[in-house]
Amino acid sequence: MHHLTRAAALCFVLALLAWHQAPVSAEAKEGEWAKGWNTWATAQKGDWAEYSMEGGNKVRWDVVKVDGKNVTYKRSTFAKDQLTSEQELTKAWNSIKLQSKLPYGKDATNTKWSQQDLVLSGVTLKCDVADWAIGEAASSIYFCKDVPCGGVVKTTTNGKDVVWLSAFQKAGAGEVKSDPQPEVKSQMPRFYAAADNHMVLKISGTGRDTKYQRRTVTSAGETSAKVSIVACDETGTPDAKAVASESELTKESWDKDYGKPAETGVKLKTEAGEFTCDVYKTSDKGKEVTEWISEGAMVKKLIKTGSSETVLEAVKLEMK
């Protein structure tokens, strides 16, 4: 599906947390998405829809039973085709949360609607498209009356797909499924070339308590990657009270910062194992930084400022 299979901009967990419901107007009629109508209103036993996110993550909705306005449905989540959760619920059709919510109140006046045809495995989906911008974020939702379990086809943020329809089937009809996409070979160093690669760093130094930090690649593209950083314990389990931050690294920035090592082929052993590293050294205003990098992973970093020093060292490293 040419328009529906671009990589998502957000990780799976964040995408699931973003499923909301727009306010539903009592007089909402078929096709009035802005008033909260959606295709759960026309659900039939046997309907299902599957949505994809980056990294091989998916969520699937199956209609189990319909009783008037109430729909019994099963929601299943998958990570790389492995079932991670399954839940059966019964709700009124207008209470089932969708993948994204339309803006309302003052922001609703900025929403522009248009029509666009998207093709999924040879099947044309005639979509109603809502576009709006809040601050620096430009968002879109594509709806189609022919898609069961809500009718959302995809959502985008700043032109990048966040969640997209990968397959569906209406009761009594044939399955519609997107074509498999060719694997994109990453130009990034190995650590940043695959989602779920992660490491645990021990942070210690002069006059400070030892702490731990987990760094996880949440998305990996051909020339960029996103990394989540969060406080954790020595096993890599995130602190329940910690707030993760996410940053993006591009091949251009990597080549600029790490294109010219001071040394190569340096052996270094840490709790995470023994590595062959490139070594990088910088000095600025009395601050000296030395980094040992192996296949993109920061195995060790030493920061010296006067008589104090801080050390970051890998105690766990997993790469595909």
Side-chain angles (χ1 to χ4, degrees), residues 17 45 48 70 86 112 114 126 129 161 179 212-214 217 228 230 241 271 273 276 311:
L17 292 177
K45 180 181 177 180
W48 61 265
N70 293 324
E86 191 171 74
K112 297 181 179 179
S114 61
K126 294 187 175 298
V129 185
D161 292 356
D179 300 322
Y212 294 87
Q213 182 187 88
R214 180 186 176 101
V217 178
S228 172
V230 66
K241 297 181 180 179
E271 290 183 44
T276 301
V311 180

Side-chain angles (χ1 to χ4, degrees), residues 4-317:
L4 299 180
T5 52
R6 293 191 299 252
L10 303 177
C11 65
F12 183 48
V13 174
L14 293 179
L16 287 180
L17 292 177
W19 292 49
H20 297 292
Q21 172 77 14
V24 179
S25 171
E27 67 273 16
K29 298 177 182 178
E30 181 178 311
E32 292 183 331
W33 311 100
K35 293 183 178 181
W37 182 88
N38 63 73
T39 63
W40 284 111
T42 55
Q44 299 181 64
K45 180 181 177 180
D47 287 352
W48 61 265
E50 177 185 273
Y51 292 87
S52 294
M53 287 153 261
E54 191 174 17
N57 300 302
K58 296 180 180 180
V59 60
R60 173 170 164 143
W61 306 77
D62 288 85
V63 178
V64 177
K65 183 176 68 173
V66 179
D67 183 9
K69 289 183 61 176
N70 293 324
V71 181
T72 300
Y73 61 93
K74 181 173 67 174
R75 187 182 72 175
S76 308
T77 61
F78 302 84
K80 302 185 185 302
D81 294 324
Q82 296 297 313
L83 180 67
T84 56
S85 71
E86 191 171 74
Q87 186 178 28
E88 187 170 300
L89 300 166
T90 299
K91 293 185 179 181
W93 72 266
N94 54 1
S95 297
I96 302 174
K97 295 182 179 181
L98 302 183
Q99 294 91 322
S100 187
K101 68 175 181 179
L102 292 166
Y104 57 94
K106 290 191 299 182
D107 293 324
T109 61
N110 298 322
T111 303
K112 297 181 179 179
W113 287 87
S114 61
Q115 283 74 46
Q116 185 175 337
D117 289 352
L118 299 182
V119 179
L120 178 60
S121 190
V123 175
T124 299
L125 302 178
K126 294 187 175 298
C127 300
D128 295 310
V129 185
D131 296 290
W132 72 93
I134 299 176
E136 297 181 357
S139 302
S140 300
I141 306 179
Y142 291 65
F143 299 96
C144 179
K145 291 189 292 184
D146 296 326
V147 173
C149 304
V152 173
V153 177
K154 69 172 179 175
T155 68
T156 73
T157 299
N158 292 334
K160 294 183 179 180
D161 292 356
V162 176
V163 182
W164 62 94
L165 183 69
S166 51
F168 72 91
Q169 181 171 315
K170 296 182 72 172
E175 177 181 340
V176 179
K177 188 173 183 178
S178 60
D179 300 322
Q181 297 299 300
E183 184 178 352
V184 177
K185 185 173 178 61
S186 175
Q187 298 179 34
M188 301 294 290
R190 180 185 171 193
F191 180 71
Y192 297 103
D196 298 328
N197 284 350
H198 63 275
M199 65 188 307
V200 178
L201 294 169
K202 179 173 70 174
I203 305 173
S204 59
T206 307
R208 64 181 298 165
D209 295 332
T210 298
K211 295 184 178 180
Y212 294 87
Q213 182 187 88
R214 180 186 176 101
R215 299 187 178 188
T216 305
V217 178
T218 56
S219 68
E222 185 176 0
T223 59
S224 66
K226 287 189 176 182
V227 181
S228 172
I229 302 175
V230 66
C232 65
D233 63 18
E234 63 273 17
T235 69
T237 302
D239 185 333
K241 297 181 180 179
V243 178
S245 63
E246 189 174 65
S247 60
E248 183 172 18
L249 178 70
T250 65
K251 183 178 185 302
E252 182 180 5
S253 64
W254 176 268
D255 290 344
K256 180 181 177 181
D257 294 337
Y258 295 99
K260 297 179 180 180
E263 301 176 64
T264 60
V266 177
K267 299 291 185 180
L268 180 68
K269 189 173 184 178
T270 75
E271 290 183 44
E274 186 171 349
F275 304 91
T276 301
C277 304
D278 292 335
V279 180
Y280 300 83
K281 299 181 179 181
T282 59
S283 180
D284 182 42
K285 298 179 180 180
K287 181 179 179 180
E288 298 180 357
V289 179
T290 305
E291 294 179 86
W292 288 260
I293 306 294
S294 178
E295 297 183 289
M298 186 182 72
V299 177
K300 184 177 180 180
K301 184 174 184 177
L302 174 62
I303 305 170
K304 290 186 176 182
T305 306
S307 60
S308 67
E309 66 178 35
T310 299
V311 180
L312 290 80
E313 188 171 278
V315 297
K316 183 178 181 180
L317 175 60

